[in-house]
Amino acid sequence: MRTRTALAVAAAAIVALTAGCSSGGGGAGGDKADGPVSLKFLSLAWQKESIAANKQIVDEWNKANPNIKVEYVQGSWDNVNDQLVTSFEAGDPPDVIHDDSPALAGFASRGYLLDLTGKLPAELTGDIPKPAWDTVTFGDGKGGQGVYGVPFLQESQVLIGNKKLLDAAKVRIPTPDNPWTWDEFAEISKKLTKEGSFGVAWPLKSPVNKVLNLALNFGGTFFQVDGTKATVKVGPEEQEVMRRIHDQLYKDKSADPSALGMGTADPLPGFYAGKYALLPAGVYLRQQVVEQAPKDFEWITVPPLKGTSAEQGATSQTLSVAADSKYPDQAAKFISFFLNSANQAKLAKGDWLLPTSVKAASDPSMTTTENGWDVATASAKNLVVAPYLKVNGFDEWKSKVATPTLQQYFADKITLDQAAKTLVEEGNKVLERYNN
Amino acid sequence: MTLTAERTHRPAAGHRGGGRGGGWQRRETLMLMLPALVPVLVFSVGPLLYGIFLAFTDARSGRNAVTSFVGLSNFGDLLADGDFWASFRIGLVWAVSVTVLQFLASLGLALLLNENLRFRSFARVLALVPWAMPPVVIGLMWRLVYHPNAGILNSVLQDAGLLDHNVDWLNDFSLALPAVIVVGIWTGMPQTTVVLLAGLQNVPKELHEAGHMDGASTFRRFWSITLPQLRPVIVTITSLDFVWNINQFGLVYVLTQGGPGGQTRLPMLFAYEEAFRYGFFGYAATLGVAFVIVVLALLSIYIGRQMREAN
């Protein structure tokens, strides 16, 4: 028994030693680009077309670059951030990481991600406009700023409309150059409301991002950022969109209250059945409408609404490199290939989202009138960086304070003033932990 | 783990009592115990001590985070944290109601299975099925049952005319916790039933016969014979269930992730979120330590009183 234990201990020691050696060796090899290396790519693609597009691009890369082998690892949006924290802390994260900009802010300030400044070719950096780069530029937690990912897919909020009902009510069909204002939208929703059917359905199970992104229509930012210190602000600008949605539900009665607890895609069956004429949604929802709607169902994509402006808060899906990656240069090279304009068009099509690449956005498949692509792609010009992206602790504010408060406000359990007060007071308490 | 530790300790104590030539023999015993002790020390005692250590620091996630010793300030923050108390209250409601209802349901089932029914052994096997399923699978299964549009619960209730619209059980502020508690009861019933059944089979038949002869009713016999005889088993299984339930994580994580709006955020989910979502490792460790203390305190009161009454 004693010998066996001794043997086991020795074996464990050897394993530990060799592991140490190999990682040391790998670090040195990272500087030379010639040795064959292998990278792990954590992808969060989940729609069938999108997974296929991802895998196809990885295969193309592997064929063209036998020395930098990329291994596709499937992840899921549900738990990716927990999974990443664990693997970052353990020091063995995937090299190339697919995520979104709200998550990057926190990871960047904790030093988990590599600053990509100067590591990307001009061809890629020039192809993506500045507002998109703003969604991935964050403080590094030590007073500096860096670019912690490459933004590649963005989502804008549009409305999907039942064409027959809109035509029957003889409402003006808006265009990207002449969109509905919020006032017009309220009038039209009232007009579309008849017995047993509503003008609009607001699925607000996860209300926070939707409300905050739309609040920019009236200049509502929800946060004041002073250096690294952020405080919550809910003034008249912020309350405008909240109040207008609430009015549709309880004053105009043009929005179906039973849709409130639904997730974005849940009202679709009722929408096909004509129960609601308009459905506010991200552009990606068009995919489900195309796939599931009955054959004779006619629909249109309504461009984003306009308040004092048509600006919407945007976040991006991103590819980043882990700070602990042994082959950062190879990883950046892979990202540059993966997100070139041709590939971005493929990925955007697969996910029914908007590419950040200017060249990809002018691809014929992105501007066709079919399935509302022209309206969707045109809406990209309204996207500006969402102010909450720069707020440390936003995630905790969102889940502990904002989600329950907004849910209660839209369920008419508390007044607008009470909601605003809670969002600010409870919210600032949460943010305090992050502000030092 | 504690059980293993005790068991491995006991022979050592025995040898020490054995007296003569002790020194050499004791070393030999230690060497023999080592293979069993190492995993306990490395995988159980080590992390526990590390967790306790973390509770007194401001450890945060991040490569550039500096950890420093902060004494009791985490405990102070905890006592002043409204979210913690909300979670604590939810944890108590969950643990007490699951434990009590589970016990009552299991006792009924055990009494039934103890009778001389047809297909008794088959029924006993059936009662064990939930035990064979991992919590994650149970969670997924019940999520389908509770599904607002496609769930079997809504369709059954509507067919029976008890409901006129689909209810989103797991996302309703007031229904989510009860819905999760039902799943908790279902999940834990097999263990409790089996233990109670074993206890029931140890109740001497003669006592029942004697009671019968004296003209005691069925209920009277249950109340004055079965229950007192079962008492030690009941105390054991309810305390174990309570500890088990208050530390529940996987089931609720899969079912609701603590939602909606934190209505089902059990203490362990709260600690998990603090650590892995927001990155406050020190604070999360404090929560864990606080919970060990709370559970130990509650258990010692409960078991102490039961023992006193039994004597």
Side-chain angles (χ1 to χ4, degrees):
Chain A
M1 193 68 101
R2 209 181 304 178
T3 21
R4 198 187 290 172
T5 324
L7 273 178
V9 170
I14 289 168
V15 170
L17 276 176
T18 39
C21 284
S22 67
S23 67
D31 301 324
K32 298 179 282 171
D34 48 355
V37 302
S38 92
L39 301 174
K40 265 192 250 161
F41 166 40
L42 180 73
S43 163
L44 302 177
W46 58 277
Q47 302 199 27
K48 214 169 122 200
E49 300 167 51
S50 159
I51 293 177
N54 269 271
K55 287 191 171 160
Q56 186 207 338
I57 301 174
V58 170
D59 283 346
E60 277 170 30
W61 167 267
N62 280 337
K63 259 184 220 138
N65 299 275
N67 276 341
I68 309 176
K69 196 176 148 32
V70 172
E71 185 194 340
Y72 179 95
V73 181
Q74 184 68 57
S76 149
W77 286 107
D78 289 341
N79 54 14
V80 64
N81 292 327
D82 300 357
Q83 181 195 346
L84 284 174
V85 168
T86 326
S87 62
F88 284 137
E89 285 292 325
D92 184 31
D95 302 276
V96 177
I97 297 160
H98 179 190
D99 208 326
D100 59 7
S101 37
L104 295 197
F107 289 155
S109 68
R110 294 186 229 162
Y112 290 144
L113 298 175
L114 190 73
D115 180 2
L116 294 174
T117 315
K119 290 203 181 297
L120 301 166
E123 202 190 344
L124 179 70
T125 49
D127 191 24
I128 297 175
K130 177 148 187 317
W133 285 111
D134 279 347
T135 64
V136 291
T137 307
F138 299 110
D140 59 4
K142 292 180 289 196
Q145 290 265 322
V147 173
Y148 290 97
V150 179
F152 68 106
L153 290 176
Q154 294 191 320
E155 174 188 329
S156 60
Q157 301 290 322
V158 291
L159 296 155
I160 297 178
N162 182 326
K163 189 159 185 301
K164 270 185 203 159
L165 293 181
L166 291 178
D167 287 345
K170 298 204 175 62
V171 302
R172 176 176 82 85
I173 303 294
T175 62
D177 295 324
N178 190 7
W180 285 342
T181 62
W182 274 85
D183 291 334
E184 213 177 344
F185 167 59
E187 280 309 310
I188 288 168
S189 307
K190 270 197 268 183
K191 219 168 165 187
L192 290 165
T193 303
K194 299 205 180 77
E195 200 163 317
S197 71
F198 290 89
V200 59
W202 283 100
L204 290 175
K205 182 175 157 189
S206 323
V208 180
N209 288 39
K210 226 174 251 178
V211 169
L212 264 58
N213 286 335
L214 289 176
L216 279 182
N217 282 173
F218 293 93
T221 55
F222 277 90
F223 293 97
Q224 278 168 325
V225 184
D226 171 27
T228 54
K229 260 196 160 109
T231 46
V232 187
K233 152 179 175 274
V234 187
E237 296 93 357
E238 282 76 18
Q239 295 178 6
E240 195 72 27
V241 164
M242 291 170 65
R243 187 178 52 77
R244 281 167 187 263
I245 296 175
H246 193 272
D247 278 354
Q248 287 198 321
L249 283 160
Y250 300 102
K251 212 168 104 198
D252 301 350
K253 298 196 191 305
S254 58
D256 184 358
S258 75
L260 270 183
M262 295 187 183
T264 305
D266 296 335
L268 281 176
F271 177 66
Y272 303 143
K275 237 176 114 184
Y276 339 104
L278 291 166
L279 192 58
V283 283
Y284 69 90
L285 201 70
R286 292 172 300 139
Q287 186 243 6
Q288 294 194 32
V289 178
V290 170
E291 282 193 352
Q292 304 168 353
K295 271 205 188 94
D296 55 343
F297 187 80
E298 287 181 77
W299 59 281
I300 58 165
T301 307
V302 177
L305 299 174
K306 196 177 156 201
T308 50
S309 78
E311 278 187 1
Q312 291 187 356
T315 64
S316 320
Q317 290 191 26
T318 56
L319 290 188
S320 308
V321 179
D324 274 333
S325 169
K326 288 170 215 149
Y327 311 108
D329 295 328
Q330 288 88 333
K333 232 189 226 171
F334 169 69
I335 290 181
S336 309
F337 168 79
F338 195 86
L339 298 183
N340 68 31
S341 56
N343 286 338
Q344 274 208 35
K346 267 185 228 166
L347 293 167
K349 243 185 120 187
D351 259 327
W352 293 72
L353 287 166
L354 312 173
T356 53
S357 153
V358 175
K359 253 186 256 162
S362 60
D363 188 280
S365 68
M366 291 285 121
T367 50
T368 161
T369 53
E370 198 185 334
N371 298 332
W373 272 108
D374 54 341
V375 175
T377 305
S379 70
K381 70 171 192 298
N382 299 320
L383 296 179
V384 296
V385 58
Y388 56 82
L389 276 183
K390 312 287 178 185
V391 175
N392 245 334
F394 168 71
D395 189 29
E396 190 176 342
W397 177 78
K398 175 179 160 183
S399 80
K400 281 192 182 161
V401 182
T403 304
T405 309
L406 288 183
Q407 280 174 345
Q408 280 174 320
Y409 171 63
F410 288 125
D412 209 21
K413 298 223 169 86
I414 55 175
T415 66
L416 184 53
D417 286 342
Q418 285 170 326
K421 196 167 163 242
T422 315
L423 288 174
V424 173
E425 284 177 7
E426 302 285 316
N428 283 338
K429 252 186 248 165
V430 167
L431 295 185
E432 218 169 275
R433 285 214 279 184
Y434 296 85
N435 280 343
N436 45 44
Chain B
M1 272 306 179
T2 357
L3 277 180
T4 352
E6 261 169 41
R7 234 174 259 153
T8 38
H9 272 298
R10 218 169 277 140
H15 275 283
R16 210 178 298 150
R20 302 213 305 137
W24 182 84
Q25 217 174 1
R26 209 186 303 162
R27 203 175 309 150
E28 171 107 303
T29 327
L30 266 178
M31 285 313 294
L32 286 171
M33 268 163 49
L34 207 60
L37 268 182
V38 165
V40 174
L41 287 175
V42 172
F43 296 116
S44 189
V45 179
L48 188 71
L49 291 178
Y50 183 56
I52 294 175
F53 161 74
L54 276 183
F56 296 96
T57 69
D58 62 352
R60 290 174 72 155
S61 64
R63 281 159 46 105
N64 38 27
V66 187
T67 303
S68 57
F69 191 75
V70 294
L72 289 172
S73 89
N74 277 339
F75 287 90
D77 290 347
L78 194 66
L79 291 179
D81 187 347
D83 288 316
F84 164 70
W85 287 109
S87 161
F88 184 69
R89 190 186 58 83
I90 292 168
L92 276 188
V93 170
W94 151 270
V96 170
S97 46
V98 170
T99 308
V100 169
L101 295 173
Q102 195 172 64
F103 166 71
L104 294 177
S106 301
L107 185 62
L109 189 60
L111 286 170
L112 199 67
L113 291 177
N114 198 33
E115 292 304 310
N116 224 341
L117 300 169
R118 211 190 291 184
F119 306 123
R120 184 170 68 168
S121 39
F122 180 64
R124 280 182 183 174
V125 173
L126 270 190
L128 284 180
V129 167
W131 207 354
M133 294 160 95
V136 172
V137 177
I138 294 176
L140 289 174
M141 187 183 84
W142 278 89
R143 233 165 66 175
L144 292 179
V145 171
Y146 283 138
H147 193 283
N149 302 318
I152 189 170
L153 183 63
N154 272 335
S155 71
V156 165
L157 289 180
Q158 286 195 1
D159 288 347
L162 295 171
L163 265 189
D164 56 357
H165 63 283
N166 282 337
V167 176
D168 196 352
W169 300 95
L170 294 175
N171 281 310
D172 188 294
F173 271 65
S174 48
L175 289 176
L177 187 57
V180 172
I181 287 176
V182 169
V183 182
I185 296 168
W186 185 85
T187 313
M189 267 181 67
Q191 295 92 306
T192 319
T193 309
V194 167
V195 172
L196 288 175
L197 188 58
L200 281 176
Q201 285 166 352
N202 277 334
V203 177
K205 289 246 167 13
E206 303 81 55
L207 289 179
H208 275 281
E209 279 161 19
H212 200 60
M213 296 282 275
D214 291 343
S217 66
T218 317
F219 178 73
R220 189 65 214 262
R221 270 181 283 139
F222 170 73
W223 193 252
S224 311
I225 298 173
T226 314
L227 267 190
Q229 288 283 324
L230 268 183
R231 187 178 198 120
V233 178
I234 292 174
V235 173
T236 317
I237 191 66
T238 44
S239 343
L240 284 176
D241 276 347
F242 181 79
V243 176
W244 191 276
N245 287 327
I246 206 153
N247 286 328
Q248 178 61 260
F249 173 80
L251 189 65
V252 182
Y253 181 76
V254 177
L255 274 172
T256 62
Q257 300 217 325
Q263 293 299 308
T264 57
R265 192 186 283 133
L266 300 186
M268 290 308 124
L269 275 166
F270 185 74
Y272 174 85
E273 279 185 358
E274 286 295 324
F276 296 104
R277 191 156 168 196
Y278 311 132
F280 296 97
F281 294 145
Y283 190 59
T286 311
L287 235 141
V289 171
F291 242 75
V292 171
I293 297 171
V294 168
V295 169
L296 283 180
L298 285 177
L299 274 186
S300 57
I301 294 171
Y302 175 66
I303 294 179
R305 179 188 283 174
Q306 293 294 332
M307 301 270 264
R308 227 174 305 135
E309 277 178 26
N311 289 337

